[in-house]
Amino acid sequence: MPNHRTSIAVLPFDQKGATDEYSFFGEGIGEEIIRALSSIPGLRVCSRRSSFSLAESHLSIDELAKKLNVENILEGSVQVAGDQIRISASLIEATSDETYWSNSWHRPLSNIFEVQDEISLLIADQLREHFGHLEISDHLVHMHTRNIDAFTWELKGRRQFNKWNPKDVHTAIDYFKMAIELDPEYLDPRIGLADAYGFLATTGFGDPVSCWKKAKDELDFVHERDPLHAGLNYQLANYEFFTQASYTQAFHYAKITIQSREGYPEGQQFMAFLNMLRGDMKKAGDHIRYARAIDPLNSETRFYEAYYQYLSGKAEPLLRELKHATDSLLLPDEKLGLETMVYHTLDYKDESEQSYAELKLRSQNNSSPQADAYFYLNAARRGLADEAFSVLDKLFSHRSAILLLNFSDPLASGLQNDPRHSEYHRRIFQLESEPKPAKKSNLSLTNVDDIKAQLKRWMEVEQIYLDPKLNLRSLASSLNIHPNQLSWLLNEELQVNFNDFINLFRIEHFIRLATDTSNAHISFIGLAYESGFNSKSVFNTSFKKLKGQTPSQYISSMK
């Protein structure tokens, strides 16, 4: 799992006085900020599904942070009146419950993307200044459409789809289509349509052939315009796995998904799943832990984690999850088949035989595509290798994703000594050659010593730290370098984050003022403000952190 400088959960923005027409905007803005922040390497962002699930819990900030395992919470509010939108946001350090940044905006509704980009960049800057280097793009939110009504329909569709039931998914499809009608080049509702059709196909609430065809049409449209879109590649991975039974292509697209957006929880889950099937449990575990870190409260995350433990020889967690699995997560025959496997693994003889008999009957009646897959498992379980491999050929002739899913199941482990098994394994899990890792942005400066000299002059001669509004971006502008370069220089070369670097100069300035007898009539807080601090609490906290004593203790020790 990657190392992270810090972590954050974004709550849905309160919709103060919102009419029904705009009641979804608070969720939409929060979700857009999550998507923007999760594109920043080194920043762990809690998923929408986990953070939004606690929105109505009335937990304290500290309790929310502990459940979501994050250090920072972003909360805010949104009001829409006519063609105007007012947004406020506050960034809170969880353990102290201290708001260390807040701001508000009152803009035309048509500027919604610019405002979301501004909010996301300001939050990222604050986190970088407090917790260390983050490489931040110049823009985190891009204008998806110029048609605000199309954006509104897309947000409405996303909200309905996230309810995960067939009725609301059909409503979401209608909303996505309305958005596309207003702006045919708007890609997000097309991804939403593909997701919705894929949901109907895999859960049995729609005809699989026609639903997957509709999904693929939308995906082809998006692929021509934005082939690296994380949501697109996640949907393509599902399409290749569940309709083409192509492990190779599914792995290819899943990998692009998390390369495009590392903090995409569904992408991490799917990569864990694919590595489990291939037998690479180390990589599967890495992806599972990452998915758990960014999406801790989601039932799918728990299910994949339980399935990982099952494949690792621990069956009880999977049985517990199966008892609570919803129809949207597992089809009835799939749930029965998994329960049969678990009962066998746990040696629950009566339950195993009863569920197997029911499964066999469903297979004979061709009730679902799962029949062949569970017949394969049963044949393997009984040591009937010829029958098992005969059924397995349907993986290629029928493109059976269910057979692909169950090929590596522990119940089929008895086939592994058969020479045919390694050949099937090679054919199924053949991967593309590993691409060379992409080079990270080059943050090294052309002349580090020159920049350090400039920085020293700005701090010691110009005393730029006395400006209480000084931030990393403004200091970088004074040095005529990119903020990412300054952040790298401070954290990697000087081994200090921006806040501590600036505050140390302010503290040394304060000490000079406080030990000057001509300033005896000025309070410590007054001297702190003259030194560039704009908050009593920040001054006291920084002083204790950097000097190990309170200001009064330190100054007294110097007398």
Side-chain angles (χ1 to χ4, degrees), residues 5-9 37 43 61 70-75 89-103 122-132 134 468 499 534-535 537-538 541:
R5 291 287 188 181
T6 188
S7 54
I8 185 171
L37 294 177
L43 176 60
I61 290 295
V70 295
E71 296 171 289
N72 303 277
I73 298 286
L74 180 75
E75 61 180 11
S90 298
L91 191 57
I92 305 167
E93 199 279 320
T95 54
S96 65
D97 198 10
E98 177 186 351
T99 299
Y100 60 90
W101 172 84
S102 63
N103 211 333
L122 287 170
I123 294 165
D125 280 345
Q126 286 293 319
L127 294 173
R128 174 164 64 182
E129 292 176 9
H130 278 78
F131 297 102
L134 296 171
N499 274 3
N534 61 5
S535 163
S537 62
V538 171
T541 301

Side-chain angles (χ1 to χ4, degrees), residues 45 70 105 151 186 199 258 260 304 375 389 419 432 536:
V45 184
V70 295
W105 298 261
F151 176 63
Y186 187 11
F199 170 86
I258 59 174
S260 299
Y304 279 115
F375 180 75
F389 286 116
E432 301 167 327
K536 177 180 178 180

